[in-house]
Amino acid sequence: MEITSSHNSCSSMMWFFKDKGFDDNSVQGIFRRCKRLQDVHQERASENWEYLRSIGIEERKLPSIVSKCPKILALDLYDKIMPTVECLRTLGTKPREVATAIAKFPHILSNSVEEKLCPLLAFFQALGIPEKHIGKMILLNPRLISYSIETKLTEIVNFLASLGLNRDGMIGKVIVKDPYIMGYSVEKRLRPTSQFLKSIGLSEQDLQAVAVNFPAILSRDVNKLLVPNYAYLKRRGFQERQLVALVVGFPPILIKSIQNSLEPRFKFLMDVMGRQVDEVIDYPCFFHHGLKRRIEPRYKLLKERNLNCSLSEMLDCNKKKFFLKFGLLEGQALSN
């Protein structure tokens, strides 16, 4: 009798997946990853599916979510899924934040959120992070709930402290800016990156400034990104101390695409604007601004009026201040 019931459940689930657009290979893979589904009735799966749709998850994303975490269809809706969603809602301020977090990491619904959330909140609060920021961090990177505080998160915090960031809440500021940093390996990614940055001449204070202003650079691959970009900048003629100034002034210069970002800006700077390459030392954020949206149009307006200025004077202000600064209100009216 029990075998017959299990067979009927499996058969009804097969029809459920077919109805939702899953192909045979996908269904087989789902059953292999979650054997519990063989004993789940179609009614429970349908109820969970509809509930997820009702909280704002687009139906076109649900097959991908279920493929990532098949167990989501086997969980009890009223004892597990709904209480977890309500718990997550206390962290956010925007209606779709929870739905987005679940779509990113559906396993969050199978974790014991209530048991893990209080220790996690306490851990981050001890680093000086306000509760409202902690909520945003968790919804931005919901995998945080799945990490062990003792073996994972504490290791990352200790590493950041080893960089000299253990004062004035600096570690908390780094994590708030880049919650994804907590998911990387210290030995395989964070330490090699920090060692590379020191090897190219960054002082301890420089490294701290880079980590606080643009922590994402610490989690980038040294050999795939940082080394090629550094070598490219050296070929452009920059000396070591100039490269340090560039990296500290605009850390993303080491991870920007050479072909699509750095090279076009250098060419425009030198070939079109007729400027010297070392002018970017005084204003590294030149590489932050859009070539088509800001640099080219502003250069064109200034050239038409034979106006000369530094890169920072040209770019380091919004559109209105730019027109006011150079008396181009007529140009603003035309551009609008």
Side-chain angles (χ1 to χ4, degrees), residues 28 40 65 80 104 127 141 149 157 167 174-175 184 197 203 210 230 237 263 311 315-316 331 334:
Q28 289 171 13
V40 170
I65 290 170
K80 184 66 177 173
K104 282 183 184 177
L127 296 172
N141 181 17
I149 291 176
V157 168
R167 64 180 188 278
V174 167
I175 298 171
Y184 287 91
L197 292 172
S203 66
V210 167
Y230 184 76
E263 184 71 12
L311 293 177
L315 299 169
D316 198 19
L334 289 172

Short mmCIF file of all heavy atoms in Angstrom, two decimals, residues 28 40 65 80 104 127 141 149 157 167 174-175 184 197 203 210 230 237 263 311 315-316 331 334:
data_model
loop_
_atom_site.label_atom_id
_atom_site.label_comp_id
_atom_site.label_asym_id
_atom_site.label_seq_id
_atom_site.Cartn_x
_atom_site.Cartn_y
_atom_site.Cartn_z
N GLN A 28 14.36 14.46 -14.08
CA GLN A 28 15.18 13.37 -13.53
C GLN A 28 16.28 13.92 -12.62
O GLN A 28 16.56 13.37 -11.55
CB GLN A 28 15.80 12.57 -14.67
CG GLN A 28 14.78 11.72 -15.43
CD GLN A 28 15.36 11.09 -16.69
OE1 GLN A 28 16.58 11.10 -16.89
NE2 GLN A 28 14.49 10.57 -17.54
N VAL A 40 6.17 13.49 -2.23
CA VAL A 40 5.39 14.73 -2.08
C VAL A 40 4.18 14.69 -3.00
O VAL A 40 4.28 14.27 -4.17
CB VAL A 40 6.27 15.96 -2.41
CG1 VAL A 40 5.43 17.22 -2.50
CG2 VAL A 40 7.35 16.13 -1.36
N ILE A 65 14.48 28.53 -9.98
CA ILE A 65 14.55 28.47 -8.52
C ILE A 65 14.37 27.04 -8.03
O ILE A 65 15.12 26.55 -7.17
CB ILE A 65 13.49 29.41 -7.89
CG1 ILE A 65 13.88 30.87 -8.13
CG2 ILE A 65 13.31 29.13 -6.40
CD1 ILE A 65 12.80 31.87 -7.77
N LYS A 80 7.01 26.18 7.64
CA LYS A 80 8.37 26.50 7.25
C LYS A 80 8.48 27.71 6.33
O LYS A 80 9.13 28.71 6.67
CB LYS A 80 9.00 25.27 6.55
CG LYS A 80 10.45 25.44 6.17
CD LYS A 80 11.34 25.56 7.39
CE LYS A 80 12.81 25.66 6.99
NZ LYS A 80 13.68 25.93 8.14
N LYS A 104 17.63 34.78 -5.71
CA LYS A 104 19.09 34.68 -5.72
C LYS A 104 19.57 33.40 -5.05
O LYS A 104 20.48 32.72 -5.54
CB LYS A 104 19.71 35.87 -4.97
CG LYS A 104 19.76 37.17 -5.72
CD LYS A 104 20.47 38.19 -4.83
CE LYS A 104 20.48 39.58 -5.45
NZ LYS A 104 21.10 40.57 -4.54
N LEU A 127 30.26 44.33 15.27
CA LEU A 127 31.22 45.01 14.39
C LEU A 127 30.83 46.47 14.15
O LEU A 127 31.47 47.16 13.36
CB LEU A 127 31.31 44.28 13.05
CG LEU A 127 31.85 42.85 13.09
CD1 LEU A 127 31.71 42.18 11.72
CD2 LEU A 127 33.30 42.84 13.54
N ASN A 141 22.81 39.74 -0.09
CA ASN A 141 23.58 38.50 -0.19
C ASN A 141 23.00 37.47 0.79
O ASN A 141 23.56 37.23 1.87
CB ASN A 141 25.06 38.75 0.13
CG ASN A 141 25.90 37.48 0.01
OD1 ASN A 141 25.47 36.50 -0.60
ND2 ASN A 141 27.08 37.48 0.60
N ILE A 149 29.27 31.14 11.46
CA ILE A 149 29.89 32.30 12.11
C ILE A 149 31.29 31.93 12.60
O ILE A 149 32.25 32.69 12.42
CB ILE A 149 29.02 32.80 13.28
CG1 ILE A 149 27.72 33.42 12.74
CG2 ILE A 149 29.78 33.81 14.14
CD1 ILE A 149 26.75 33.86 13.81
N VAL A 157 36.62 38.29 9.15
CA VAL A 157 36.79 39.45 10.03
C VAL A 157 38.22 39.52 10.55
O VAL A 157 38.85 40.59 10.59
CB VAL A 157 35.78 39.41 11.19
CG1 VAL A 157 36.13 40.44 12.27
CG2 VAL A 157 34.36 39.67 10.67
N ARG A 167 39.64 49.31 13.66
CA ARG A 167 39.36 50.51 14.46
C ARG A 167 38.28 51.34 13.77
O ARG A 167 38.07 51.24 12.56
CB ARG A 167 40.63 51.35 14.65
CG ARG A 167 41.21 51.91 13.37
CD ARG A 167 42.46 52.74 13.64
NE ARG A 167 42.91 53.42 12.44
CZ ARG A 167 43.64 52.86 11.49
NH1 ARG A 167 44.01 51.59 11.60
NH2 ARG A 167 44.01 53.56 10.43
N VAL A 174 33.46 48.05 5.57
CA VAL A 174 33.87 47.23 4.43
C VAL A 174 32.77 46.21 4.09
O VAL A 174 32.40 46.04 2.93
CB VAL A 174 35.19 46.49 4.73
CG1 VAL A 174 35.45 45.40 3.71
CG2 VAL A 174 36.35 47.48 4.75
N ILE A 175 32.23 45.54 5.11
CA ILE A 175 31.22 44.50 4.89
C ILE A 175 29.92 45.10 4.37
O ILE A 175 29.26 44.51 3.51
CB ILE A 175 30.99 43.69 6.18
CG1 ILE A 175 32.28 43.00 6.60
CG2 ILE A 175 29.88 42.66 5.98
CD1 ILE A 175 32.22 42.36 7.99
N TYR A 184 34.12 34.69 0.20
CA TYR A 184 35.37 34.29 -0.45
C TYR A 184 36.33 33.61 0.52
O TYR A 184 36.26 33.80 1.74
CB TYR A 184 36.04 35.50 -1.10
CG TYR A 184 35.34 35.97 -2.35
CD1 TYR A 184 34.35 36.94 -2.30
CD2 TYR A 184 35.65 35.41 -3.58
CE1 TYR A 184 33.69 37.36 -3.44
CE2 TYR A 184 35.00 35.83 -4.74
CZ TYR A 184 34.02 36.80 -4.66
OH TYR A 184 33.36 37.19 -5.79
N LEU A 197 48.70 43.70 -3.94
CA LEU A 197 48.60 45.15 -3.81
C LEU A 197 49.80 45.72 -3.04
O LEU A 197 50.32 46.78 -3.38
CB LEU A 197 47.29 45.53 -3.12
CG LEU A 197 46.02 45.24 -3.94
CD1 LEU A 197 44.77 45.46 -3.09
CD2 LEU A 197 45.96 46.10 -5.19
N SER A 203 51.25 51.06 0.54
CA SER A 203 51.59 51.00 1.97
C SER A 203 50.40 50.42 2.74
O SER A 203 49.33 50.21 2.18
CB SER A 203 51.90 52.40 2.49
OG SER A 203 50.71 53.21 2.45
N VAL A 210 42.09 51.62 0.17
CA VAL A 210 41.51 50.88 -0.95
C VAL A 210 40.43 49.93 -0.45
O VAL A 210 39.35 49.83 -1.04
CB VAL A 210 42.62 50.09 -1.71
CG1 VAL A 210 42.00 49.08 -2.66
CG2 VAL A 210 43.50 51.06 -2.48
N TYR A 230 47.58 45.76 -14.43
CA TYR A 230 48.79 46.45 -13.95
C TYR A 230 49.85 46.50 -15.05
O TYR A 230 50.49 47.53 -15.27
CB TYR A 230 49.32 45.75 -12.70
CG TYR A 230 50.50 46.44 -12.07
CD1 TYR A 230 50.31 47.61 -11.33
CD2 TYR A 230 51.79 45.94 -12.22
CE1 TYR A 230 51.39 48.25 -10.74
CE2 TYR A 230 52.87 46.59 -11.63
CZ TYR A 230 52.67 47.75 -10.90
OH TYR A 230 53.73 48.40 -10.33
N GLY A 237 53.32 53.66 -19.68
CA GLY A 237 54.40 54.56 -19.30
C GLY A 237 54.38 55.06 -17.86
O GLY A 237 55.20 55.90 -17.49
N GLU A 263 41.40 51.28 -22.59
CA GLU A 263 41.99 51.65 -23.88
C GLU A 263 41.22 52.77 -24.59
O GLU A 263 41.83 53.75 -25.05
CB GLU A 263 42.11 50.41 -24.78
CG GLU A 263 42.80 50.65 -26.11
CD GLU A 263 44.29 50.90 -26.00
OE1 GLU A 263 44.86 50.68 -24.90
OE2 GLU A 263 44.89 51.33 -27.00
N LEU A 311 41.13 68.08 -15.96
CA LEU A 311 40.16 66.98 -16.08
C LEU A 311 39.14 67.02 -14.94
O LEU A 311 37.95 66.78 -15.15
CB LEU A 311 40.89 65.63 -16.07
CG LEU A 311 41.78 65.32 -17.28
CD1 LEU A 311 42.49 63.99 -17.09
CD2 LEU A 311 40.95 65.29 -18.57
N LEU A 315 35.05 67.30 -15.27
CA LEU A 315 34.24 66.10 -15.04
C LEU A 315 33.68 65.95 -13.62
O LEU A 315 32.66 65.28 -13.43
CB LEU A 315 35.07 64.85 -15.37
CG LEU A 315 35.56 64.75 -16.81
CD1 LEU A 315 36.58 63.62 -16.94
CD2 LEU A 315 34.40 64.53 -17.76
N ASP A 316 34.34 66.57 -12.65
CA ASP A 316 33.98 66.30 -11.25
C ASP A 316 32.85 67.20 -10.76
O ASP A 316 32.96 67.87 -9.73
CB ASP A 316 35.21 66.46 -10.35
CG ASP A 316 35.02 65.80 -9.00
OD1 ASP A 316 34.12 64.95 -8.89
OD2 ASP A 316 35.76 66.13 -8.05
N GLY A 331 23.94 76.43 -23.72
CA GLY A 331 24.20 75.06 -24.17
C GLY A 331 23.34 74.07 -23.43
O GLY A 331 22.87 73.08 -23.99
N LEU A 334 19.94 74.06 -24.97
CA LEU A 334 19.94 73.34 -26.23
C LEU A 334 19.99 71.83 -26.01
O LEU A 334 19.31 71.07 -26.69
CB LEU A 334 21.16 73.77 -27.07
CG LEU A 334 21.10 75.20 -27.66
CD1 LEU A 334 22.44 75.55 -28.28
CD2 LEU A 334 19.99 75.30 -28.71
#
